[in-house]
Every structure is written in C-alpha cells, then in structure tokens.
Amino acid sequence: MASPVLLNNIDHRDLRVAVGHHARYGDAINQTRVFPGEFEELQRDYAILLRRDEQGVLFATVLLGLDPDENLFLDGENWDARYVPAARARGPFSIGVDAHGEPMIHVDPDHPRIVDTGEPVFRELGGNAPLLDHVSAMLQRIYIGLETEKAMFHAFAAADLLEPATLQLDLADGRRYDIPDRFTVDAGRLAALDGDTLARLHHDDFLRPAFWIASSLGNLRHLIDRKLRKELHG
C-alpha cells in the first residue's frame, strides 16, 4: 500500500474521485470517529458518545449501526442523513504537515475512491473544483478537532460532567444490544452548573458542545427504528 502523497494541481491535475457511499469504500462500519467542530450537525442525526483509546485518552464517536460492519445510514450508494461525518466525507484525502509544520492536504493514490469516472479534484486551469473545497472544509474540522478536543474533554471532566454509560438498547422483539465503556455528558449536572463554571466553559466555546452531546442521546431511539425498518424491508 502506497503512503499518502502531497496533493498538487500538477501531478494530480487529472485526479478524479468517486462520490457517494458504499461498503467498497469502507463505509460498512458501525461507528466512526467524530470531532468537536461537527457536533452541531451530528447531534441532529446521530448519538455522540465518548470512549477511551488504549492510552486512556478520550475521543468522540457516533454510532452508525448495532451489529459488526453494519451502517444503518448506508442506503445503496447514498448516506441517509443530513450530514456525513468528516472522517467518512474526506474520502482518500488526509492532513499531513510540511517541513515547517504547516498542515497540507495529502492523497492516498491507492484509495478505492480514485477512479477514472469520478468527480474532478481540480478545474482545468488548476483551481480547486467544488469537491476539493468540500474536502478541505472536512479536513479542517478534523485538524482543528484534533487540536482542541483534549482540552474540551478535560474541561468536561473538571466540571464533573462526564458520566460512564453502558447502553442497553432493547428492540421490540426482545433482543438487546449492550454497548459498554462509553461516556456521555450528564444533562442534569450540566443544567446545575454554577455561574463561574458556565462562564468558563462558554468562554472556551465548550458549553455548546456539551449540550450537543447530551441532547444527541435521543437519537439512539431513531437508530433502533432504522434497524427495525431495515430488517422489515430488507
């Protein structure tokens, strides 16, 4: 597998990328990593949950399905939601840094989305095509999120907002899905915060994400409904 290379409008002037979503592009997954800059859009459709990596560091995910390799938002070639998480919308592109530490867009030349009949990345005269503008916005959300999420989750913990959550999702036919080792923001504690803590979270722009995480849990019911509809209609 080739390593990602720096994207440029000379070597990649004819590069085309398949849009849409499908299992062949790696979209058949039951969760994906998400970042603070997209929480506002995510909370309208997905349940945002926190978990720890092997080093104990918190990061955010959204649930896409309940069984392994199940994405209940994947409908043929379409993603059935108002917003596609940045980690899935970025396609073959990623952020790397140059010798001066500046973020630069890279592309994986072996990615399955790179096809002869896809959408162009660059215009004929070398400017960004709409696809690359969209990808750039998604990559910026990821890059900024990686820079800010640690401080945000630390602030949540300092304010005693984080609550361990072992989710038990019951389907109408008696099946139960247990989703352990997750964390969420406790809505009750959030509503009871003192003025100083509220002001501090607001100043750092961490207050709104806390509300978005807490409110997003209502989407678990919608995820179950998606599961039942898919099983009913095939």
Side-chain angles (χ1 to χ4, degrees):
M1 180 180 294
S3 299
V5 297
L6 182 65
L7 182 71
N8 65 83
N9 61 7
I10 298 174
D11 296 329
H12 304 114
R13 64 183 181 275
D14 298 322
L15 188 69
R16 289 179 173 268
V17 174
V19 297
H21 297 275
H22 197 275
R24 63 179 172 270
Y25 302 140
D27 290 326
I29 52 176
N30 66 6
Q31 60 184 300
T32 190
R33 177 87 182 265
V34 295
F35 303 91
E38 54 184 340
F39 284 2
E40 182 175 9
E41 289 91 348
L42 291 166
Q43 56 92 25
R44 300 185 180 112
D45 289 298
Y46 310 91
I48 304 169
L49 297 166
L50 309 183
R51 58 184 304 185
R52 295 191 184 277
D53 64 16
E54 294 179 353
Q55 287 73 44
V57 178
L58 283 169
F59 64 98
T61 66
V62 292
L63 286 180
L64 304 175
L66 300 178
D67 287 310
D69 304 321
E70 176 185 65
N71 184 345
L72 295 169
F73 295 88
L74 199 57
D75 181 17
E77 297 277 339
N78 298 312
W79 192 291
D80 182 28
R82 286 165 285 189
Y83 175 82
V84 178
R88 304 313 311 164
R90 68 184 177 92
F93 303 99
S94 59
I95 287 284
V97 294
D98 64 14
H100 304 288
E102 293 297 319
M104 305 289 287
I105 298 179
H106 288 62
V107 62
D108 176 1
D110 291 337
H111 197 280
R113 283 189 180 272
I114 296 179
V115 294
D116 294 335
T117 57
E119 292 290 321
V121 175
F122 294 105
R123 299 182 186 273
E124 288 187 13
L125 298 180
N128 290 1
L131 172 66
L132 185 54
D133 286 337
H134 175 69
V135 166
S136 297
M138 295 299 102
L139 291 175
Q140 183 180 38
R141 288 188 166 190
I142 294 172
Y143 182 77
I144 294 174
L146 288 169
E147 295 289 313
T148 61
E149 63 182 4
K150 184 176 181 180
M152 186 180 74
F153 298 146
H154 178 77
F156 290 169
D160 196 28
L161 292 178
L162 295 180
E163 178 183 42
T166 296
L167 304 176
Q168 295 179 330
L169 307 183
D170 294 312
L171 275 63
D173 58 8
R175 282 178 293 162
R176 168 175 287 182
Y177 287 87
D178 292 329
I179 304 173
D181 303 324
R182 300 298 196 273
F183 295 83
T184 187
V185 168
D186 186 291
R189 296 175 194 167
L190 184 58
L193 287 176
D194 62 74
D196 289 342
T197 304
L198 280 170
R200 187 163 56 250
L201 291 171
H202 176 69
H203 176 269
D204 293 331
D205 200 21
F206 296 157
L207 187 59
R208 293 185 304 159
F211 278 105
W212 291 330
I213 293 172
S215 65
S216 75
L217 289 185
N219 288 318
L220 289 171
R221 178 67 256 175
H222 300 311
L223 191 68
I224 293 172
D225 291 341
R226 282 179 179 270
K227 174 79 168 174
L228 295 175
R229 286 197 304 270
K230 184 173 182 180
E231 292 180 344
L232 179 62
H233 300 293

